[in-house]
Amino acid sequence: MPESSTTLDQPTTAEPDGWLTPARRRRLLKFLLYAVAIFVGLVIVVPLSFAILGGFRSNQQLVAAPVGLPDPWIVDNYLRLLQTSSFWQQVFNSTLIAVITTAVVLPLSSLAAFAIARFRFRGREPIYGLFTLGLLFPVAVAILPLFVVLRQVGLLSNPLGVALPQAAFGLPVAIIVMRPFFRAIPNELHDAAMIDGCGPWRFYFSVVLPLSRPVLSTIAILSIVGSWNAFLLPLLVLIEPSQHTLPIGVNNISTQFATDYATVLAYTTLSMLPALLFYAVAERQIISGLTSGAVKE
């Protein structure tokens, strides 16, 4: 009887599917991510560094070597601007308008977001969609009718003529950011507050607002920085030179000192420095507030 031969399966090594293995794919994606981050960082940092360092140089240095380092370092450009009263007047005007804008945006947006998030009523989603459409409506599109309305109500050459429209255009972003956060508040907390006798207003003031400090801080920071950097609306509304803000001051000084590059760069640096410092200090708070409502509803 012939012996039956059995064939044992030999272990085979799996060949990689091409050169792009999963490990290599992850390394490639990480490399591309870092490359894009570095490129974006350079796009932002290089102009800022040029402006800051250019303020410490003379016009002769800027013409001879535009991208060189100060040699010697000249601080007179910054000191001369800091000693002018017009600069500090513009700082005050920018601060006043930013504070008014934020003071209007915070209560109105939080109340609107609270009502849209916590109450069911007819037309709730269309109203929320209307606020969403507000993101697609830039200030430049409405600048002409807005100017006519402000002139008719007597708000030209008035800080309120800038602050109120800025607050109106800032409401859509604030409401869209706040609504998910308010909806993430547990219903059990609302039920417990109702059992203790809390009405809607008391629940809003005693429970919702204390829990909403991260997102409120984020909206406040975004409103302040956005108002500080606004240019077109203040340029059209604030007619008197004593009412100009810092962005308008940068435009004026770049026209007045068209060939004095060092002074223009120093003034530009001083005008954007408060917003940059404020944003850098509050960066973690902004990220925390924007992601605080990122939960599954």
Side-chain angles (χ1 to χ4, degrees):
M1 184 176 180
E3 297 181 356
S4 60
S5 60
T6 59
T7 303
L8 299 178
D9 294 334
Q10 298 296 330
T12 59
T13 58
E15 293 293 332
D17 187 12
W19 68 273
L20 193 60
T21 60
R24 289 178 177 175
R25 186 182 295 109
R26 287 193 296 270
R27 288 195 294 268
L28 179 60
L29 291 176
K30 184 180 293 186
F31 171 78
L32 293 176
L33 179 63
Y34 279 109
V36 172
I38 292 173
F39 175 76
V40 173
L42 290 176
V43 170
I44 297 174
V45 171
V46 170
L48 291 178
S49 302
F50 177 79
I52 295 173
L53 294 177
F56 290 101
R57 307 175 69 190
S58 63
N59 292 320
Q60 292 76 12
Q61 295 180 27
L62 289 171
V63 173
V67 295
L69 293 175
D71 185 25
W73 291 72
I74 301 173
V75 297
D76 292 342
N77 297 323
Y78 289 101
L79 294 178
R80 186 174 66 255
L81 293 174
L82 291 174
Q83 293 173 357
T84 58
S85 60
S86 61
F87 172 79
W88 293 109
Q89 181 64 43
Q90 293 168 7
V91 171
F92 173 78
N93 296 335
S94 296
T95 305
L96 177 63
I97 294 175
V99 170
I100 296 175
T101 301
T102 306
V104 175
V105 168
L106 283 182
L108 294 182
S109 61
S110 61
L111 283 171
F114 174 71
I116 294 174
R118 306 299 303 185
F119 298 99
R120 295 184 180 274
F121 54 90
R122 182 176 298 178
R124 182 181 68 168
E125 295 304 323
I127 292 175
Y128 181 69
L130 183 63
F131 284 114
T132 305
L133 290 177
L135 298 176
L136 307 177
F137 196 69
V139 180
V141 175
I143 198 65
L144 181 57
L146 186 60
F147 178 82
V148 174
V149 171
L150 292 175
R151 184 178 60 183
Q152 291 177 348
V153 298
L155 288 180
L156 292 181
S157 295
N158 191 322
L160 292 177
V162 179
L164 294 181
Q166 285 183 165
F169 283 96
L171 285 176
V173 176
I175 292 173
I176 290 173
V177 172
M178 287 185 181
R179 188 201 188 198
F181 184 89
F182 290 161
R183 295 194 68 174
I185 297 177
N187 291 327
E188 293 79 5
L189 188 61
H190 189 191
D191 296 338
M194 297 295 289
I195 293 175
D196 291 339
C198 282
W201 283 104
R202 187 175 178 186
F203 178 71
Y204 168 76
F205 285 107
S206 301
V207 179
V208 174
L209 288 185
L211 293 176
S212 305
R213 290 177 182 174
V215 70
L216 292 176
S217 301
T218 299
I219 297 303
I221 294 167
L222 294 178
S223 299
I224 291 174
V225 174
S227 175
W228 191 275
N229 294 329
F231 173 73
L232 181 59
L233 187 59
L235 179 64
L236 295 178
V237 175
L238 303 176
I239 301 174
E240 298 295 331
S242 60
Q243 298 175 333
H244 287 176
T245 58
L246 278 174
I248 302 177
V250 173
N251 180 71
N252 294 339
I253 201 170
S254 62
T255 304
Q256 182 179 359
F257 300 93
T259 57
D260 192 353
Y261 308 113
T263 301
V264 173
L265 291 176
Y267 198 97
T268 303
T269 301
L270 291 176
S271 65
M272 66 182 176
L273 193 59
L276 288 176
L277 294 177
F278 187 70
Y279 191 87
V281 171
E283 176 188 4
R284 183 171 299 180
Q285 188 67 38
I286 294 175
I287 297 175
S288 174
L290 290 176
T291 58
S292 57
V295 295
K296 183 178 179 180
E297 299 181 2

